[in-house]
Amino acid sequence: MTFRRTKIVATLGPSSNSPEVLEQLIIAGLDVARLNFSHGTPDEHKARAKLVRELAAKHGRHVALLGDLQGPKIRIAKFACKRIELKVGDPFTFSTSHPLTEGTQEIVGIDYPDLVKDCGVGDELLLDDGRVVMRVDTATADALHCSVLIGGPLSDHKGINRRGGGLTAPALTEKDKADIIHAAEMDLDYLAVSFPRDASDMEYARKLRDESGGTAWLVAKIERAEAVADDETLDGLIRASDAVMVARGDLGVEIGDAELCGIQKKIILHARRHNKAVITATQMMESMIQNPMPTRAEVSDVANAVLDYTDAVMLSAESAAGAYPLEAVQAMARICIGAEKHPTSKASSHRMGTTFERCDESIALAAMYTANHFPGVKAIIALTESGYTPLIMSRIRSSVPIYAFSPHRATQARAAMFRGVYTVPFDPAAMPPEQVSQAAVDELLKRGVVKPGDWVILTKGDSYHTIGGTNGMKILHVGEALV
């Protein structure tokens, strides 16, 4: 039985809307379904969420739902003829007073007035994720007059970034605030915040989530130059979140592609050190939008993220709007399993010199140390209320699978994002205490995960209703009578 430890996030859209395709994606190994609030209506997202949960339940799978807020993506307005072609050296103007539907070969409207205030002469502006680049030559009160450095096609509503960051748009727009309420109504498991600058943006998002009655874990999308400017800002942003996403599109545009790979590795490392889940995203299999096979470079990109120990790898347009959504998920699963055979995935020297702040963290790390140093251990069972104990366990490099045993739907789905963690619905409070260990091990025997003679580690709390209450660890011999 081959277990894939790295999880797959796939964005739903026109290519993956039908129940038939969605069901195939779930069978192929979809772990987290991403609802991109930049597109579609709340009702469409609610219908998708319901369908995912129904199909996952049908196949005994646990698929988390991730809502992704649009954020203050600054975009140009529209062209009268939909699209223009720019050449190197062409003059081009961004104007806050030009009519928003009347863009021409020389000028386009913009509905973000602060762009003119935020930019000055000599700044570089990048459009459409850096495909077109311009330099600001002169600036007036309502316009930036530029010349084209890298030409190409430009069409309606393309995004605009400033090289080096520095655009002042707040992280949460009015649309985002409404979508946080929709996310609570859908009972989403994760909610991604676009373009946060620092911890305070995430704290504000958490306040709005709490006011909406939502319980989704918050994912900080790291995509602004300011967010990675220094370790203090990055670590603050990570600490204020429940998970992070390496959002390589806008981040690569703002910091430059040469810096991106090193920063990706740093974000993954820091997220894991702070006990947070981490998703690596953007263009992982971009060529599969049109082709049924990935390029060798894309294979290497996904495999490298796996070797860096990311929790999840993500598909965007490949699964939302591409011609081969199923093949993209299958290819990703195949590459993850291949990369996980590499020996770096099996040993850890992590946290040898650190002290722990919590009892459950101490038990979780003791369990992982034991699992990695006692070769007979074939599985770890974590009886968990919130999913925190298996999350901590999965921060440690190990080839031993971790099973999150929980009675709660939200915890069962949430754990679907954690690397090397598998969900087992299980309610220890429904049986006499002396039967819990045996019943838990029997679940793994039933699934063919362990056999008589294997060892299993089990962690639990004295109370099954206390979050953060894990305070005990047992090593159990499969096949013996257990209490």
Side-chain angles (χ1 to χ4, degrees), residues 336-408:
C336 290
I337 289 167
E340 286 163 4
K341 291 176 183 164
H342 197 277
T344 58
S345 293
K346 298 192 174 140
S348 174
S349 57
H350 195 32
R351 299 173 197 240
M352 297 301 266
T354 56
T355 53
F356 310 133
E357 295 173 4
R358 295 171 49 151
C359 172
D360 54 354
E361 190 178 353
S362 305
I363 294 290
L365 292 162
M368 297 313 294
Y369 188 87
T370 306
N372 281 346
H373 292 81
F374 182 15
V377 173
K378 293 294 183 279
I380 298 159
I381 296 171
L383 303 187
T384 181
E385 281 288 304
S386 68
Y388 187 70
T389 298
L391 172 67
I392 301 282
M393 289 175 172
S394 65
R395 303 308 85 191
I396 302 295
R397 290 181 181 247
S398 175
S399 57
V400 181
I402 301 159
Y403 291 87
F405 279 50
S406 180
H408 307 299

Side-chain angles (χ1 to χ4, degrees), residues 150-165:
I150 297 175
L154 192 59
S155 54
D156 295 353
H157 296 311
K158 287 291 181 259
I160 184 166
N161 299 75
R162 176 175 174 264
R163 173 115 43 216

Side-chain angles (χ1 to χ4, degrees), residues 30 43 46 73 108 141 174 189 224 268 304 312 323 353 377 380 394 420 465:
L30 172 68
D43 285 345
K46 281 174 188 167
K73 178 84 173 178
V108 74
E174 292 309 310
D189 306 300
R224 274 185 163 169
I268 293 171
N304 264 310
V377 173
I380 298 159
S394 65
H465 303 296

Side-chain angles (χ1 to χ4, degrees), residues 317-483:
E318 301 96 330
S319 57
Y324 300 99
L326 176 60
E327 289 82 354
V329 171
Q330 290 169 332
M332 213 164 220
R334 191 169 65 238
I335 295 160
C336 290
I337 289 167
E340 286 163 4
K341 291 176 183 164
H342 197 277
T344 58
S345 293
K346 298 192 174 140
S348 174
S349 57
H350 195 32
R351 299 173 197 240
M352 297 301 266
T354 56
T355 53
F356 310 133
E357 295 173 4
R358 295 171 49 151
C359 172
D360 54 354
E361 190 178 353
S362 305
I363 294 290
L365 292 162
M368 297 313 294
Y369 188 87
T370 306
N372 281 346
H373 292 81
F374 182 15
V377 173
K378 293 294 183 279
I380 298 159
I381 296 171
L383 303 187
T384 181
E385 281 288 304
S386 68
Y388 187 70
T389 298
L391 172 67
I392 301 282
M393 289 175 172
S394 65
R395 303 308 85 191
I396 302 295
R397 290 181 181 247
S398 175
S399 57
V400 181
I402 301 159
Y403 291 87
F405 279 50
S406 180
H408 307 299
R409 187 215 65 78
T411 303
Q412 291 164 3
R414 189 177 294 140
M417 178 117 88
F418 306 156
R419 180 171 177 133
V421 176
Y422 311 96
T423 295
V424 177
F426 185 83
D427 185 4
M431 59 192 79
E434 66 276 7
Q435 290 179 18
V436 169
S437 295
Q438 188 68 60
V441 171
D442 286 349
E443 276 288 337
L444 294 191
L445 275 165
K446 189 171 80 188
R447 291 160 189 256
V449 173
V450 295
K451 58 186 189 303
D454 290 340
W455 292 91
V456 172
I457 294 172
L458 182 140
T459 65
K460 60 191 273 296
D462 289 333
S463 159
Y464 297 123
H465 303 296
T466 308
I467 289 177
T470 297
N471 62 0
M473 168 182 138
K474 291 179 172 182
I475 306 178
L476 306 171
H477 204 198
V478 181
E480 289 181 9
L482 304 174
V483 291

Side-chain angles (χ1 to χ4, degrees), residues 108-161:
V108 74
I110 195 139
D111 57 6
Y112 175 67
D114 284 349
L115 182 73
V116 179
K117 280 197 284 202
D118 292 345
C119 298
V121 171
D123 282 352
E124 285 187 16
L125 299 178
L126 301 102
L127 291 108
D128 193 12
D129 281 350
R131 291 178 180 89
V132 174
V133 181
M134 307 194 189
R135 185 181 54 236
V136 179
D137 297 327
T138 57
T140 61
D142 66 349
L144 298 171
H145 302 283
C146 308
S147 50
V148 176
L149 300 181
I150 297 175
L154 192 59
S155 54
D156 295 353
H157 296 311
K158 287 291 181 259
I160 184 166
N161 299 75

Side-chain angles (χ1 to χ4, degrees), residues 63 88 120 218 266 300 310 342 368 417:
V63 176
V88 174
L218 295 184
K266 181 184 207 171
S300 292
T310 191
H342 197 277
M368 297 313 294
M417 178 117 88

Side-chain angles (χ1 to χ4, degrees), residues 35 44-53 65 186 188:
L35 308 172
E44 285 168 347
H45 291 306
K46 281 174 188 167
R48 278 183 191 135
K50 183 169 177 284
L51 191 56
V52 168
R53 286 189 170 140
L65 287 171
M186 284 185 257
L188 294 188

